[in-house]
Amino acid sequence: MRKSMSGVGYIQILRNNHSFRRLFVAQELSYIGDWFTVIALFILAGEASDNSPLAIAGVLATRSFSLAAVTPFTGMLADRYSRKGLMITSDLAACVILVIVLQFDLLNNLSSVYFLAVAMVAAKSIFDPAQYAYLPNICSEEELLTANALGSGGWSIALGIGASVGGLTIANYGITTALWIDAVTFLVSAMCIMNLPSGGPDISERENATPRVVSKEITDGWKYILKNPEVRRLVIAKALWSSGGGAQIFLLILIGMEAGFGDIAAGIGILFMARGFGSGFGPMAGRKMMNNKILQPYLIGLAVGTSGIFYIIISLMEWSNLLLLMIFISHAASGFNWVQSTTLTQERAGDEWRGRVAGADFLALTFMMGTSAITAGFILENNLLQLREVIALSAMIQIIMGIGWIIFASPREKEIFARQSNTTNL
């Protein structure tokens, strides 16, 4: 029997669930530091290439494709090994990578920038599937939607703070200082996670991790997804947004360079702050809507389409302070999509499969994001379209994807929610 999705409040879960509170604090520290490095990578790529759109898009594409390549394996790890241990390993590995880069001054050209982007993704790729699969082990069913909404809100606040403060830090103190701050946040995050409960998975019947067994477990995970359409649909939900969203994240960098919000690093940071605060506000403000029986089957498509509509407005408007509001609203819708799809996937996927489902989810998201970003960079690099035209194109893709969900997926989702409602009423 499925319980109410909105049964626990934000303050309540932070006060009563000590494990979730500690994980939430650890994530906030790590995520804030992440954006110091991400903004630094965009700035470094621009400096190394005379602000080539393709080179800057290459940072996002490199991160996305690298993550797409490893997520099937990291998802499998989250179903085989201690999820707590994997999160600690991820934070410590990221810290060590940054310390090595800084100690040996390895950021001298565009290739080294891309190498750092890949190395950081490789280290951090372990964290998200492990955290995704770990959360239902420390949260009850009544707490799960609230935990995901709060986690998304926390990620978004961290993006807003990390991007804005990171941009200002780079503008005033330089990239080296920003990277040292990130290294420290990873270390503190790992220390917070060390005191969490183990949180699964059940490995009592697992075989030794030989290449054959690993390959079989990854293949079995894909078979499980393909045989369960109610899970399969949700695995592509985030990718619907990233079909245009990958380009939009990259385009925010170019808008930040042109919009006149101050120094380039500060300008990019301000736009990413609006993105971050919006993506956190959306799911937290819309939590009750996620439990609306009439709207539930359509929400993912509506959220993706709404994201596109506001980028259409951005492509047509003057870039004044009102731009920040349009970015905020568009990414509020994308954050809503993220939490809705994540919560439903966690509820529908069995615990023994949850890590591999998370891996497939991130694979679809990141592959589509990288493709979207590099395509937009190629178009601008070769002057095939102007900046505003590319923004509008990315938005139209999202609108089409949202309509596609409503036409093809919503009828099946409606059947599932109707069955769950009938079961609850018995």
Side-chain angles (χ1 to χ4, degrees):
M1 181 176 68
R2 187 174 182 269
K3 299 184 176 74
S4 172
M5 292 176 71
S6 57
V8 177
Y10 300 121
I11 302 299
Q12 184 181 354
I13 192 174
L14 288 172
R15 180 188 298 123
N16 297 337
N17 191 327
H18 304 297
S19 295
F20 174 76
R21 183 173 67 238
R22 185 174 288 275
L23 177 61
F24 179 77
V25 171
Q27 286 180 283
E28 285 299 280
L29 290 170
S30 178
Y31 289 153
I32 288 172
D34 277 346
W35 287 101
F36 279 64
T37 295
V38 172
I39 298 298
L41 289 171
F42 287 137
I43 298 299
L44 286 167
E47 290 177 351
S49 63
D50 294 325
N51 289 330
S52 160
L54 191 59
I56 296 170
V59 173
L60 182 57
T62 299
R63 286 169 53 84
S64 298
F65 289 139
S66 300
L67 188 55
V70 299
T71 46
F73 301 96
T74 56
M76 179 274 299
L77 293 176
D79 287 335
R80 171 173 281 277
Y81 300 108
S82 165
R83 291 158 183 167
K84 168 187 169 181
L86 291 172
M87 289 187 285
I88 294 171
T89 300
S90 173
D91 276 337
L92 293 179
C95 178
V96 170
I97 289 168
L98 284 175
V99 170
I100 291 173
V101 166
L102 290 165
Q103 282 293 105
F104 293 97
D105 192 22
L106 299 180
L107 296 175
N108 299 316
N109 52 53
L110 187 59
S111 296
S112 65
V113 172
Y114 289 160
F115 175 80
L116 177 58
V118 171
M120 290 298 289
V121 164
K124 290 297 292 178
S125 65
I126 304 170
F127 193 100
D128 286 334
Q131 184 272 342
Y132 182 107
Y134 180 81
L135 197 60
N137 298 134
I138 61 170
C139 294
S140 67
E141 185 177 347
E142 296 95 325
E143 293 174 325
L144 195 54
L145 176 63
T146 302
N148 277 313
L150 191 56
S152 175
W155 177 88
S156 303
I157 291 170
L159 164 55
I161 295 172
S164 57
V165 177
L168 291 171
T169 299
I170 292 170
N172 291 297
Y173 302 103
I175 287 173
T176 299
T177 299
L179 296 181
W180 274 117
I181 291 173
D182 192 13
V184 172
T185 64
F186 285 128
L187 183 60
V188 177
S189 173
M191 294 171 65
C192 290
I193 294 172
M194 285 178 184
N195 291 324
L196 289 173
S198 60
D202 180 7
I203 58 173
S204 58
E205 298 182 4
R206 293 285 189 195
E207 300 178 63
N208 292 330
T210 64
R212 180 189 65 80
V213 170
V214 169
S215 177
K216 181 178 183 301
E217 290 186 358
I218 293 173
T219 302
D220 287 347
W222 282 102
K223 289 179 179 178
Y224 171 81
I225 293 167
L226 293 174
K227 289 179 179 178
N228 291 273
E230 69 277 8
V231 174
R232 186 174 67 236
R233 284 193 297 274
L234 295 172
V235 163
I236 66 167
K238 297 181 183 69
L240 298 180
W241 172 82
S242 66
S243 61
Q248 290 162 2
I249 292 172
F250 153 63
L251 294 169
L252 284 180
I253 300 163
L254 302 187
I255 295 171
M257 292 177 173
E258 292 188 8
F261 288 111
D263 180 273
I264 289 177
I268 294 171
I270 289 171
L271 296 188
F272 271 73
M273 177 185 68
R275 172 200 167 199
F277 289 158
S279 59
F281 174 82
M284 297 181 76
R287 186 164 61 103
K288 290 186 178 179
M289 188 186 300
M290 295 180 192
N291 205 36
N292 185 298
K293 303 300 182 184
I294 297 174
L295 292 177
Q296 277 175 335
Y298 308 99
L299 288 175
I300 288 174
L302 290 171
V304 174
T306 300
S307 294
I309 288 171
F310 280 90
Y311 266 93
I312 289 285
I313 296 172
I314 289 170
S315 72
L316 299 172
M317 67 181 293
E318 292 294 327
W319 288 339
S320 62
N321 290 338
L322 188 59
L323 170 66
L324 301 178
L325 178 61
M326 298 300 104
I327 293 171
F328 179 94
I329 297 173
S330 177
H331 288 279
S334 73
F336 184 99
N337 171 48
W338 181 285
V339 170
Q340 174 77 347
S341 61
T342 296
T343 303
L344 293 176
T345 305
Q346 289 170 329
E347 290 177 344
R348 294 179 188 179
D351 184 64
E352 70 273 23
W353 302 103
R354 202 174 286 130
R356 281 164 285 183
V357 171
D361 192 359
F362 292 134
L363 170 61
L365 166 70
T366 53
F367 180 81
M368 189 65 78
M369 183 173 289
T371 301
S372 177
I374 203 67
T375 300
F378 178 83
I379 290 171
L380 289 170
E381 184 79 12
N382 292 280
N383 297 312
L384 302 178
L385 294 172
Q386 299 302 308
L387 175 58
R388 289 179 180 272
E389 294 171 331
V390 179
I391 295 171
L393 176 61
S394 71
M396 286 302 304
I397 291 171
Q398 289 178 324
I399 293 170
I400 292 169
M401 291 294 184
I403 293 171
W405 175 275
I406 292 171
I407 293 173
F408 297 108
S410 293
R412 309 294 184 272
E413 288 293 298
K414 188 175 181 180
E415 294 173 3
I416 292 175
F417 286 118
R419 288 199 303 270
Q420 291 171 339
S421 180
N422 291 335
T423 302
T424 301
N425 293 330
L426 290 178

